[in-house]
Amino acid sequence: MCEVLGTRASTRRDRIHPDEDVRNRHRHTARIRLVISQGAGGVIGTLAERANLVPGISGLSLYLPPYRVQLEQWCDWNDQSWDKVRNVVGRSFRMRGPAQSVYTMAANAVWRLIRDYDIDPRDVGYLALGTESSSDNSAGAIIVKGMINDALVANGKPELARDCEVPEFKHACLGAMYGVKSALRYLSSDGAGRKAIVVGADIAEYRRGSSGEPTQGAGAVAMLLESDPKLLTIDLAGAGSDSDYRAVDFRKPFARFRDQPKRDDGQMQDLPVFNGRYSTSCYIDATHHAVMNMLAKRDGANLAYFDEVDSVFMHRPYQQMPAIGWVMTYLFALAADVNGGKEILRELSVATGVDYDALVAELSAPSPFRGQGVSVSEETSDLFPLSGQVRRHLRKTETWATLVEKKLGLGENAMRDLGNLYTAALPAWIASGFVEAHDDDLRVAGQEWLALGYGSGDAAEALPMRVADGWREAASRINFTEALADPIDLDQHQYEALHDGRAATLSPPQASDEFVVDRVGTTAGPDVADLGIEFYRYVEAAQA
């Protein structure tokens, strides 16, 4: 279906003329579309067959920086309970290192995707970046495209097409999911027959000493989307959405950068403004409404879905948050169900010692929030206290094993070593689920999966997915294990220096087949200005 990739070009002068490249790419894409349209019924069946194609995900690739903080050691440094942190947060997180940025991480994930899935770059008509860690308010995914083209040329391959769209999506941790939805729409319309790549990349940093410090992380996940997906079909028409403004949830106003001290690494420190318990309530509220919006489009009782769905993957800022959100969504569904759900809720209230009427009122209220004006003393505490008591009671019951451990269990254990990846957290979990299913020889073809994304501020997306019949081959190419390999564990001094942007006594590994920040511009004019602009370099694969 695809032509053999071109021979190596040694310099930029050897590249095909842009106009000729566009003409060749259009001829190449036309052949791809013809192959797609020619199924068992031949060209006559083209329209019917293509109408039945449901786009989705065909590949996943990760990039994680090598610098790792073991949370057990972090607890020793900070006199924190390792048992609590292990159960609530996870085991470790990664940190951006010298010569790395959100853009190099994104490009490294995309480059691995192209390489590992043998993608012809001429087929890619859509390259989207989802991030909340942008350091450039003008350019976004085009930066990633530029780096990828450098690597393609260095490896003797054609560049990404000139007509490849390059949007960037920003809404806290939901940017990559918005990118996926947009890519699906592209593949269903003017991009039919082409490929789309969406990459989520982020750097999660929190002030040392804050409650968010153990929930840091850095990395990127790139996704290949096609009209005939090899891993997951996504029912976009059946998806659920929610959005409602929350003023003092997790935010990143520019005012934070005023008088920020200069760092040795030339980067800005992107520390968020957040209110922890309030943010948890926002997560619960938004994900619940997105799921309810999705279920309103389905046949059957809402409660039945919690039995029918096979696996659930959610945004995970820390290990315990998805379980909290999913169980709360179940409790909301019980309160709204008049055919037995309310009776189950009454039994739970009795077992917990919670007033039933007050519990139903808490779960049935349109919204626990009161507009944009927020009183920190009143609204940044736990807004679902009674439901929280019921949720904690459920941990001791068989319902927890069925609802949480079974539905949220696939790929969950490995995620405890990734930390908080913001936009990349949800696709990383899906990748981990596929790797576990492949390695354990699980039979997941045809299963119904749910991707439930969330972005502070607030918005949420519930995407119903189904595992493709031939998923194993594509899953075997996911580089999850390789991305986690060979970490460099930081001691306390190295961690604090890297966190604060000071020179650290690190021995960075030799870059190989990846992108690095070569320098940051310092010129402010008058003839040439490059102040603050990052310049990147592709380091070719080291020779064995």
Side-chain angles (χ1 to χ4, degrees), residues 45 76 118 122 175 181 191 223 226 312 347 380 462 471 498 529 533:
D76 289 339
D118 301 318
R122 294 168 295 183
K181 291 188 72 173
M223 295 167 275
E226 297 179 306
V312 178
E347 293 172 1
T380 55
W471 64 272
L498 199 59
I533 296 175

Side-chain angles (χ1 to χ4, degrees), residues 6-65:
T7 57
R8 176 167 180 161
S10 59
T11 69
R12 289 185 178 270
R13 295 189 184 93
D14 296 327
R15 298 178 182 178
I16 299 172
H17 187 276
D19 292 338
E20 181 62 24
D21 178 60
V22 170
R23 288 193 291 270
N24 288 339
R25 206 275 306 147
H26 281 307
R27 288 194 289 269
H28 180 70
T29 301
R31 288 195 292 274
I32 293 173
R33 286 174 172 162
L34 180 60
V35 172
I36 289 175
S37 67
Q38 290 177 330
V43 177
I44 294 176
T46 292
L47 294 178
E49 289 184 12
R50 288 180 62 179
N52 289 329
L53 291 177
V54 180
I57 298 173
S58 284
L60 293 151
S61 289
L62 292 80
Y63 176 79
L64 297 174

Side-chain angles (χ1 to χ4, degrees), residues 63 65-67 95-108 147 203 263-267 498 501-504 506-512 514-520 534-539:
Y63 176 79
Y67 306 103
M95 296 186 71
R96 169 189 60 182
Q100 293 180 328
S101 74
V102 69
Y103 302 109
T104 61
M105 291 192 300
N108 283 326
M147 281 188 267
I203 300 165
R263 293 163 55 101
D264 293 342
D265 60 8
Q267 300 283 349
L498 199 59
R502 295 182 277 107
L506 292 172
S507 298
Q510 180 65 40
S512 177
E514 63 184 290
F515 307 96
V516 298
V517 178
D518 194 46
R519 65 183 179 88
V520 179
E534 292 181 350
F535 293 86
Y536 311 98
R537 176 167 53 90
Y538 170 67
V539 181

Side-chain angles (χ1 to χ4, degrees), residues 209-372:
S210 71
S211 62
E213 185 183 0
T215 68
Q216 299 181 99
V221 179
M223 295 167 275
L224 170 64
L225 292 98
E226 297 179 306
S227 298
D228 186 17
K230 310 305 185 295
L231 288 173
L232 289 163
T233 59
I234 300 177
D235 179 12
L236 193 58
S241 299
D242 180 68
S243 62
D244 205 4
Y245 180 49
R246 310 295 182 218
V248 298
D249 190 6
F250 181 104
R251 299 290 294 273
K252 291 185 174 182
F254 279 9
R256 296 165 301 138
F257 299 135
R258 294 173 187 159
D259 303 320
Q260 188 175 94
K262 186 176 180 180
R263 293 163 55 101
D264 293 342
D265 60 8
Q267 300 283 349
M268 294 183 298
Q269 193 161 35
D270 200 19
L271 304 178
V273 177
F274 69 100
N275 294 282
R277 288 187 177 180
Y278 179 79
S279 292
T280 297
S281 296
C282 291
Y283 180 107
I284 291 169
D285 185 60
T287 52
H288 146 240
H289 279 92
V291 171
M292 291 303 108
N293 182 244
M294 177 192 72
L295 294 180
K297 302 176 183 180
R298 296 172 59 95
D299 294 330
N302 287 352
L303 269 183
Y305 179 76
F306 293 87
D307 290 324
E308 294 167 359
V309 66
D310 294 289
S311 287
V312 178
F313 305 87
M314 300 175 66
H315 171 57
R316 48 183 301 145
Y318 53 91
Q319 178 182 315
Q320 197 176 89
M321 190 70 253
I324 293 173
W326 184 241
V327 172
M328 286 296 298
T329 298
Y330 172 70
L331 295 180
F332 283 117
L334 289 178
D337 186 84
V338 296
N339 297 314
K342 278 187 164 61
E343 188 56 37
I344 295 174
L345 195 63
R346 183 183 295 277
E347 293 172 1
L348 288 172
S349 70
V350 171
T352 310
V354 169
D355 182 81
Y356 170 73
D357 292 331
L359 176 63
V360 171
E362 180 178 282
L363 290 167
S364 303
S367 174
F369 303 93
R370 296 189 288 275
Q372 297 183 26

Side-chain angles (χ1 to χ4, degrees), residues 480-517:
F480 192 95
T481 303
E482 294 81 357
L484 280 167
D486 303 320
I488 298 174
D489 286 321
L490 303 175
D491 60 30
Q492 183 175 3
H493 170 75
Q494 291 170 327
Y495 160 65
E496 292 177 353
L498 199 59
H499 180 280
D500 298 346
R502 295 182 277 107
T505 55
L506 292 172
S507 298
Q510 180 65 40
S512 177
D513 196 24
E514 63 184 290
F515 307 96
V516 298
V517 178

